[in-house]
Amino acid sequence: MSNSLRDQLMGLGFKPAPKPERPAHAKGGKPDNRQGGKPQGAQPQGAKPQGGKPQAGDRRQDGRKPDNRKPGARHGGKPQSREDIDLAKAYAIRAQREKDERIAAEAAKQEEARQRREARAKLAELVKDKALNDATAEIARHFPYGGKIKRIYVNEAQLKQLNAGELGVLQMDGRYLLVTAELLAQAEAVFAPAVALKVDPNAPANEDPYADPQYQVPDDLVW
């Protein structure tokens, strides 16, 4: 439109058309995507980014950095190898086996002690009031028992019977009891360790050096 025509129109009261407003980016600025002073898409402080994975600089709620190390590295060492695991299992199996063996040995020991107590009680009932010890006897008959030299006092007739195997000696509660050969056999069946002296009449005479009453044993060898 020529200037003269525009001037004529303006003179008639027409106003020129307003110029279109230029976009903000056309003026060299950046688009304002903020809403209420904050850019769109901004997340509040401390929130995790989309996807649920924390960023490298994120911290846990207690203020410490998250531990992203592998489980085996958290203790300052490398993850256990297959060999280490097998060795640990072997040690555990051996320890359990040794424990079971100790328990079994202790149980066997207690059972043996129980059987000995029962056998001694039965033996005491068997020989009750049947000992033939002579309180006036003066002849010492020595015999080996428990790795030591022991003795029992008998009279002359009892000595002959003892050496002939017709009598025997039992150990009961620290005492030595003179009993018949028949009772000695019964006692042996109940509790054999209680048999202190059992003479075999068919054995050679020199096999028992203590059979001779003249045989003297020093006092320091008798317990």
Side-chain angles (χ1 to χ4, degrees):
M1 182 181 296
S2 63
N3 290 335
S4 60
L5 180 57
R6 182 174 57 186
D7 293 339
Q8 292 176 8
L9 292 175
M10 290 180 65
L12 294 176
F14 292 97
K15 295 181 179 181
K19 295 181 179 181
E21 188 175 354
R22 297 176 60 186
H25 64 274
K27 298 179 181 180
K30 296 182 178 180
D32 190 358
N33 296 326
R34 295 176 295 175
Q35 294 180 358
K38 295 183 180 180
Q40 295 182 355
Q43 298 179 350
Q45 185 177 0
K48 294 183 179 181
Q50 296 181 356
K53 296 183 179 180
Q55 296 180 354
D58 288 347
R59 292 179 178 272
R60 302 189 302 189
Q61 293 182 358
D62 57 5
R64 295 183 297 173
K65 290 185 177 181
D67 191 353
N68 297 324
R69 296 176 296 175
K70 295 181 179 180
R74 293 180 183 177
H75 303 285
K78 297 180 179 180
Q80 286 187 328
S81 64
R82 180 70 180 181
E83 182 179 356
D84 293 336
I85 296 175
D86 292 343
L87 185 60
K89 289 182 178 179
Y91 278 127
I93 293 173
R94 186 178 69 176
Q96 184 63 40
R97 183 173 63 250
E98 292 176 352
K99 180 181 179 180
D100 294 342
E101 290 175 354
R102 289 194 300 269
I103 293 174
E106 182 62 24
K109 184 178 179 180
Q110 293 179 0
E111 177 63 18
E112 182 180 358
R114 183 190 66 80
Q115 292 178 358
R116 290 176 67 89
R117 288 193 301 268
E118 292 181 355
R120 284 183 177 278
K122 187 176 180 180
L123 179 63
E125 187 67 23
L126 178 66
V127 301
K128 183 178 180 181
D129 300 330
K130 296 179 182 178
L132 303 177
N133 296 63
D134 185 358
T136 63
E138 298 180 350
I139 301 175
R141 175 58 162 92
H142 296 90
F143 56 92
Y145 179 70
K148 298 178 181 179
I149 303 300
K150 306 295 182 177
R151 66 186 172 190
I152 185 173
Y153 286 95
V154 295
N155 55 42
E156 189 171 340
Q158 289 175 336
L159 178 63
K160 293 180 179 179
Q161 291 177 307
L162 190 57
N163 292 337
E166 298 174 0
L167 298 178
V169 179
L170 290 175
Q171 193 272 346
M172 289 284 297
D173 299 326
R175 295 180 58 210
Y176 294 97
L177 307 180
L178 190 67
V179 298
T180 63
E182 181 181 0
L183 184 58
L184 186 70
Q186 295 176 3
E188 186 176 15
V190 173
F191 189 57
V195 177
L197 176 60
K198 180 181 179 181
V199 177
D200 182 4
N202 299 321
N206 58 356
E207 187 171 309
D208 185 3
Y210 305 104
D212 188 350
Q214 301 300 321
Y215 185 85
Q216 298 296 320
V217 178
D219 292 339
D220 59 351
L221 292 181
V222 179
W223 293 271

